[in-house]
Amino acid sequence: MAARPVASPALAARALPNQWDAIALFLVFGALVLIVQGSRGMTAPLAAPVTAALSLDYANLPYYALRTTLRMFAAILCSLVFTFTYATVAAKSRRAELVLIPLLDVLQSVPVLGFLSFTVTFFLGLFPGSTLGAECAAIFAIFTGQAWNMAFSFYQSLRTVPRDLEEVSRGFQLSGWQKFWQLETPFAMPGLIWNTMMSMSGGWFFVVASEAISVGDTTIKLPGIGSYLALAIEQRRIDCVIAAVVAMAIVILLYDQIIFRPLVAFSDKFRVELTASQTEARSLVRDLFLRTRWLRQVTRAPARVLHRISLWRFEPPPAIARISTELPIPARAFDVIWLTLVAAGAAYSLWLVYSFVGADLGLADVGEAVGVTFITMIRVFLLIALASLVWVPVSIWIGLRPALAEKAQPLAQFLAAFPANVLFPVAVVGIVKLSLNPDIWLSLLIVFGTQWYIVFNVIAGATAFPNDLKEAAANFQIRGWDWWRKVILPGVFPYYVTGALTASGGSWNAAIVAEYVKWGDDTVSAHGIGAYIAKATAAGDYPRIVLGVCVMSIFVILFNRLLWRPLFAYGERKLRLS
């Protein structure tokens, strides 16, 4: 009878739980308890949060912060699903791209108040008598401040995969499904993670509008930091405004360290380079995970399943593939049919808008909307140009120093998340007391939250810049202006265009908040389409809301098509890493 092998003491000791297992266990169960506590209020009867007035007591801030955080992460999950489907279809299908990318421009230009004006009653109707309808409306509003940036980033990455890697995938005969998960998604991961962090911050920027919903006679305030801040501004409680900002900063710091810091460290493995970077991104939570056996055991089986799914071929049957290649109808005919259907849908939509708006408004109203939109367009263009001149070199300098980028990341997230509403007291009091021009000084509120899209994307581009190219530039002694012009600026240009395009769209959206500001009973308004839509929303004037949103969308599409899209195509054609 053979003797049974005896495990060594060292192996037995490694099999026992350690202090890291206990720490991770407490963290996981603590997170589950918080989610349960916060989600209970999301399904309460609708009358409860409406009749029960929000309190400015500091003790309520932790619970309000929890409710807001749950909404933010629910919206970010929806944004990820949207990104992986919408951006992929746009990048893979030429015909779909003709529609989806302009549509994304329109969606990005539609302000949060524009979405809320027409979706609040829809979501309330889905869940009558329950808070869940208002919660869905708030989550959808936050989603509209997050999804477009992530979709643009993923689309840009899919279109700029290096050609040599494309050739390798063809050499290994990868199917479309395998290529997407084995090559394209890993390549896009660094930029997507950075833009997901940026989108979280963008959601914070509009959290006041999403939690304190007021459209005409419909007013719903959900417990959260945004509604707390709106109430503090309404009652001129500057101490409560500061308390809300402190609570927001703590929440951002926590989820940055617990979620995004490990993801940034994880994304380092997907950088496209021939020589490894000398500085490795670190994360305490990632180190905790690596030292915790039970967490690795729990995640091992799902990871294997996902890996096997990513290796499926998902190819059509040979008969269907043969029929699709032998169809007698040429591709040009398909293009004509597709464009005809798109044009018919656009014409029908235009007729619906004309019928709705034309019943109450005339050509003079259209002229007014066009004039104020032109003012906002000039304002946005000048602000993006100034922000680019300031932040592109600073962001490159930070991104080329991984240790500094790691420290700057939470600060940039906080600044991007910093709601413009917090600056309303300073803006209103300063403009009124000093008799300043609102058209100039309120403009700073527009770019305050959106300039960080440029910062995040350029830092991501500089961080992802291949180490072997940096070493080659050093070996050839390329320095000074030649280094900026021939090495780093071409390397980060596609990332910059993505950031500037998103910042431009975000600035149009931010104009709704920044061109019409209140502090208690005092109101300061600038000339622009943002103030036009904000006033129409406050009055419940739906024809003017539709007119303002439509005119703004047309301007944004023209702005993107004449400026940002040519720059994007140039970067994709001339400056991709290949």
Side-chain angles (χ1 to χ4, degrees):
M1 185 175 180
R4 296 177 63 185
V6 179
S8 66
L11 291 176
R14 284 199 294 270
L16 294 175
N18 56 24
Q19 69 273 22
W20 301 106
D21 293 283
I23 294 173
L25 188 65
F26 293 148
L27 290 175
V28 170
F29 276 101
L32 292 176
V33 170
L34 287 176
I35 292 174
V36 171
Q37 290 290 338
S39 59
R40 282 181 180 175
M42 292 186 174
T43 55
L46 184 59
V50 173
T51 57
L54 295 170
S55 172
L56 293 180
D57 188 352
Y58 298 160
N60 293 324
L61 269 175
Y63 176 70
Y64 291 169
L66 176 61
R67 291 286 295 272
T68 297
T69 304
L70 290 179
R71 294 184 192 108
M72 297 285 290
F73 277 98
I76 209 70
L77 289 177
C78 296
S79 299
L80 284 171
V81 174
F82 174 84
T83 295
F84 276 94
T85 53
Y86 192 100
T88 302
V89 173
K92 297 291 185 179
S93 172
R94 178 178 58 84
R95 296 184 182 95
E97 182 186 22
L98 295 175
V99 179
L100 295 183
I101 296 305
L103 183 60
L104 198 61
D105 292 336
V106 175
L107 292 172
Q108 182 178 244
S109 67
V110 176
V112 171
L113 288 179
F115 284 111
L116 283 175
S117 302
F118 299 96
T119 57
V120 169
T121 54
F122 170 75
F123 285 112
L124 291 179
L126 286 180
F127 305 95
S130 173
T131 311
L132 191 57
E135 291 285 352
C136 289
I139 291 171
F140 180 76
I142 297 172
F143 165 86
T144 62
Q146 295 176 339
W148 325 134
N149 172 52
M150 297 166 60
F152 269 124
S153 169
F154 198 66
Y155 168 78
Q156 177 257 333
S157 296
L158 294 181
R159 294 297 301 268
T160 56
V161 175
R163 293 186 180 89
D164 51 348
L165 296 182
E166 298 268 11
E167 293 176 0
V168 170
S169 68
R170 287 193 293 269
F172 280 104
Q173 297 182 345
L174 298 181
S175 67
W177 177 265
Q178 293 171 328
K179 178 185 174 184
F180 179 76
W181 291 111
Q182 299 294 321
L183 169 61
E184 293 170 335
T185 298
F187 175 77
M189 194 60 64
L192 179 61
I193 289 175
W194 277 91
N195 278 279
T196 301
M197 293 188 292
M198 188 67 245
S199 294
M200 282 290 290
S201 299
W204 280 103
F205 190 80
F206 295 104
V207 75
V208 175
S210 62
E211 291 182 347
I213 303 172
S214 180
V215 181
D217 297 330
T218 303
T219 300
I220 299 174
K221 290 187 178 180
L222 298 171
I225 293 182
S227 54
Y228 182 94
L229 182 58
L231 184 60
I233 293 173
E234 182 181 337
Q235 297 185 7
R236 294 186 176 228
R237 289 285 302 277
I238 192 66
D239 60 316
C240 294
V241 171
I242 296 173
V245 173
V246 171
M248 184 184 68
I250 293 173
V251 171
I252 292 173
L253 181 63
L254 286 176
Y255 71 62
D256 173 74
Q257 295 298 319
I258 295 174
I259 297 177
F260 288 122
R261 182 72 58 199
L263 288 176
V264 171
F266 170 75
S267 69
D268 269 2
K269 64 167 62 178
F270 301 120
R271 294 178 58 182
V272 179
E273 57 187 13
L274 299 177
T275 59
S277 175
Q278 300 298 318
T279 305
E280 181 182 1
R282 299 298 302 274
S283 166
L284 294 177
V285 175
R286 178 172 175 266
D287 294 341
L288 173 65
F289 181 84
L290 294 176
R291 295 172 181 175
T292 305
R293 283 186 292 275
W294 74 270
L295 271 179
R296 284 183 281 127
Q297 291 293 336
V298 167
T299 57
R300 187 167 295 168
R304 289 175 178 172
V305 172
L306 293 176
H307 179 67
R308 289 175 182 174
I309 292 175
S310 70
L311 293 177
W312 291 351
R313 294 198 65 84
F314 277 119
E315 291 182 329
I320 296 179
R322 186 171 58 255
I323 292 174
S324 63
T325 56
E326 295 175 357
L327 284 176
I329 303 177
R332 186 178 295 277
F334 277 115
D335 290 342
V336 172
I337 295 173
W338 173 247
L339 292 176
T340 301
L341 292 174
V342 171
Y348 179 69
S349 301
L350 181 62
W351 179 80
L352 289 177
V353 172
Y354 174 77
S355 301
F356 183 75
V357 174
D360 298 303
L361 304 178
L363 290 177
D365 298 290
V366 175
E368 179 188 2
V370 170
V372 294
T373 305
F374 187 75
I375 295 173
T376 300
M377 184 188 70
I378 296 175
R379 186 176 288 133
V380 168
F381 177 79
L382 293 177
L383 290 172
I384 294 299
L386 291 174
S388 301
L389 289 175
V390 173
W391 289 113
V392 167
V394 174
S395 303
I396 290 175
W397 184 79
I398 293 174
L400 293 178
R401 293 159 178 81
L404 181 59
E406 182 177 345
K407 294 181 176 61
Q409 174 189 321
L411 176 61
Q413 283 191 72
F414 173 72
L415 291 174
F418 197 82
N421 311 69
V422 177
L423 299 177
F424 285 1
V426 178
V428 172
V429 174
I431 291 173
V432 172
K433 295 293 184 183
L434 302 177
S435 300
L436 301 176
N437 187 346
D439 289 316
I440 296 176
W441 293 99
L442 287 183
S443 301
L444 300 178
L445 297 179
I446 294 178
V447 78
F448 185 84
T450 58
Q451 62 187 333
W452 311 111
Y453 288 106
I454 298 175
V455 173
F456 260 76
N457 278 276
V458 175
I459 288 179
T463 303
F465 192 78
N467 196 55
D468 49 321
L469 293 184
K470 289 189 284 187
E471 293 180 354
N475 291 335
F476 282 104
Q477 298 183 351
I478 302 177
R479 300 186 182 91
W481 174 241
D482 285 339
W483 179 82
W484 284 93
R485 185 169 57 90
K486 297 180 179 179
V487 179
I488 195 62
L489 287 179
V492 303
F493 187 80
Y495 293 87
Y496 163 74
V497 173
T498 300
L501 173 63
T502 312
S504 175
S507 296
W508 284 94
N509 209 331
I512 311 298
V513 178
E515 291 182 351
Y516 186 75
V517 301
K518 290 185 176 182
W519 174 241
D521 297 329
D522 294 329
T523 302
V524 176
S525 176
H527 294 89
I529 191 63
Y532 182 92
I533 295 176
K535 294 175 182 177
T537 303
D541 189 346
Y542 288 95
R544 280 186 169 78
I545 294 175
V546 173
L547 176 62
V549 170
C550 290
V551 172
M552 175 189 281
S553 300
I554 293 172
F555 268 73
V556 171
I557 291 175
L558 292 175
F559 195 65
N560 290 344
R561 287 291 160 182
L562 296 176
L563 177 63
W564 298 119
R565 290 303 168 196
L567 291 177
F568 186 91
Y570 176 79
E572 179 183 328
R573 186 177 65 253
K574 297 289 187 179
L575 303 176
R576 65 189 293 180
L577 296 173
S578 57

